[in-house]
Amino acid sequence: MKQNEQVPISLQDFTAGLWKENPVFVMMLGLCPVLAVTNTVENALGMGIATLFVLVCSNALVSALRHFIPKQVRITTYIVIIATFVTLVDYIIQAISLDLYNKLGAFIQLIVVNCLILGRAEAFASKNSFGRSVVSATGMGLGFTLALIMLGGVRELLGAGQLLGYPVFSDQFEPWVVMILPPGGFIVLGCWLLLINYVKQRRSTSAIKQELAASHCTVPQRH
Amino acid sequence: MNPESLSFIFLSAFLINNFVLAMFLGLCPFVGVSAKRDTAFNMSLATAFVMFISSLCAYGINWILTSYQLEFLRLISYIAIIASAVQLVEMVLKKFSPTLFRALGIFLPLITTNCAILGVALFQTARQYDFFQSIAFSLGAGAGFALAIMLMAGLREKLELSKLPNITQAAALSMMLAGILSMTFMGFAGLGGQI
């Protein structure tokens, strides 16, 4: 625990959560809201911002209190801290937009059991300085929001022919209703994962090929 | 069918609005513990039991909180109940079935963060179910969770024997399978539609 105290804040803390360790596509954390509320971009954005807020606030508090929380009851303490911020968000969203609140439904309160938040509190915030925890949580939260929007965009575009409520295609377009329904969520996430795996695999094979080509070129020179 | 009747509430949570495949609750264990059929079965039993207990307690707690107008404490008290119920199951299992306790391992404490359980407590409050309706709802939800995770485990055991392209590694294939399963479950909507 001690050796992490002196590490300064770096850009890497921030960017890791955005893509390299993206909570949804790489770590597969917090999948329930990812699939449940991404039938439109608007819902996805609302959910993403709510999660970002809870993630940053709870990780900041956990990190600030990390020397005072006894080890035996830490998980319970984290859950109570998270539940407090979720209750806050719940009331704030009700005050700002009742329409969004009704669309997201119980999933705002279910942020409490989003494994991403508890996971980051346990794995990062409880071991690192306040500044680093806030920066890392912001990166993770933005990565989560990005993933939600990537799913919501595809589902809204194909399922309703709209983007953020504006029609994209002409009237002849027949919406793929299944994309808005539950199966669409699973299938779109599956397709994104397949695409990401494909890109990763191509990159690694092209890296190997380059290495082979480079070594092949050097071989004749040695003779 | 009368939407208030116990049998409809049970069927709705079990098939029509299946907790995993239609409501997207409890996906972490659905992806994480569905590799082997017997672990999946034990896991779903433990989850269903915790669901039942916490639904009963949530009903009582909600009654107390509303009578003192302390609704803003609902979320925190529900999560505390679920954590204690999981602790209880853990202790009972350790005492009476150490083999099962070891088989479930790390997934047992993780039941606390299974959103399906908090989901049962929150939905029964939002829909203002009475005591018996809550029982029917939690039993249906537990059975639905067990059905979904067992189906998935069966499919994944079969898939281990088949040749697959490299890019379908990890969770990508599970997601596609879940999508197909979810599509078949949409057929049950004919039983009574969405609530």
Side-chain angles (χ1 to χ4, degrees), chain A residues 70-123:
Chain A
K71 219 173 172 215
Q72 295 80 6
V73 292
R74 63 184 199 287
I75 300 286
T76 324
T77 321
Y78 300 160
I79 282 271
V80 171
I81 290 175
I82 295 167
T84 313
F85 283 111
V86 172
T87 312
L88 260 177
V89 166
D90 193 49
Y91 282 94
I92 291 173
I93 293 184
Q94 262 186 69
I96 295 175
S97 161
L98 203 59
D99 188 40
L100 183 68
Y101 182 79
N102 289 334
K103 274 186 200 151
L104 295 181
F107 279 94
I108 298 172
Q109 300 186 336
L110 284 173
I111 296 177
V112 179
V113 281
N114 190 329
C115 4
L116 167 65
I117 298 174
L118 190 66
R120 291 313 288 175
E122 164 77 3

Side-chain angles (χ1 to χ4, degrees), chain B residues 35-94:
Chain B
K36 287 254 171 338
R37 248 184 304 176
D38 41 348
T39 353
F41 181 69
N42 292 336
M43 179 69 186
S44 52
L45 265 191
T47 309
F49 182 71
V50 174
M51 228 177 230
F52 181 65
I53 299 269
S54 53
S55 153
L56 286 186
C57 300
Y59 181 79
I61 288 279
N62 187 41
W63 185 75
I64 297 173
L65 288 182
T66 28
S67 53
Y68 288 99
Q69 296 183 326
L70 291 170
E71 283 93 346
F72 59 91
L73 283 179
R74 198 179 274 152
L75 200 56
I76 297 180
S77 24
Y78 280 4
I79 213 59
I81 292 172
I82 293 169
S84 351
V86 170
Q87 199 79 51
L88 177 80
V89 170
E90 217 176 325
M91 273 160 22
V92 170
L93 272 186
K94 209 174 184 177

Side-chain angles (χ1 to χ4, degrees), chain A residues 24-188:
Chain A
V24 178
F25 294 131
V26 181
M27 302 204 291
M28 306 292 295
L29 287 176
L31 285 182
C32 308
V34 171
L35 294 169
V37 298
T38 51
N39 44 11
T40 64
V41 178
E42 196 193 341
N43 290 357
L45 197 62
M47 189 68 200
I49 291 171
T51 313
L52 174 69
F53 175 80
V54 176
L55 186 63
V56 172
C57 292
S58 59
N59 276 15
L61 197 60
V62 164
S63 163
L65 295 175
R66 69 186 185 283
H67 297 304
F68 303 104
I69 299 173
K71 219 173 172 215
Q72 295 80 6
V73 292
R74 63 184 199 287
I75 300 286
T76 324
T77 321
Y78 300 160
I79 282 271
V80 171
I81 290 175
I82 295 167
T84 313
F85 283 111
V86 172
T87 312
L88 260 177
V89 166
D90 193 49
Y91 282 94
I92 291 173
I93 293 184
Q94 262 186 69
I96 295 175
S97 161
L98 203 59
D99 188 40
L100 183 68
Y101 182 79
N102 289 334
K103 274 186 200 151
L104 295 181
F107 279 94
I108 298 172
Q109 300 186 336
L110 284 173
I111 296 177
V112 179
V113 281
N114 190 329
C115 4
L116 167 65
I117 298 174
L118 190 66
R120 291 313 288 175
E122 164 77 3
F124 199 90
S126 61
K127 294 179 191 129
N128 289 289
S129 65
F130 182 81
R132 276 192 82 195
S133 303
V134 171
V135 169
S136 161
T138 315
M140 279 286 163
L142 286 177
F144 187 73
T145 314
L146 180 76
L148 280 174
I149 292 174
M150 279 166 72
L151 254 91
V154 173
R155 286 180 73 185
E156 192 180 354
L157 189 67
L158 295 178
Q162 298 177 334
L163 216 51
L164 279 167
Y166 297 104
V168 175
F169 302 116
S170 66
D171 293 340
Q172 276 93 36
F173 178 73
E174 189 66 45
W176 308 6
V177 182
V178 74
M179 283 299 168
I180 292 188
L181 296 171
F186 286 116
I187 291 172
V188 172

Side-chain angles (χ1 to χ4, degrees), chain B residues 168-190:
Chain B
T168 58
Q169 62 190 352
L173 190 67
S174 307
M175 282 297 137
M176 297 308 251
L177 277 181
I180 296 165
L181 269 183
S182 161
M183 226 183 279
T184 54
F185 267 70
M186 269 171 64
F188 289 116

Side-chain angles (χ1 to χ4, degrees), chain B residues 148-166:
Chain B
I149 201 168
M150 289 298 290
L151 281 174
M152 189 70 181
L155 284 174
R156 279 179 70 176
E157 277 191 353
K158 290 268 178 233
L159 276 179
E160 270 183 12
L161 303 173
S162 47
K163 266 191 180 170
L164 292 168
N166 281 339

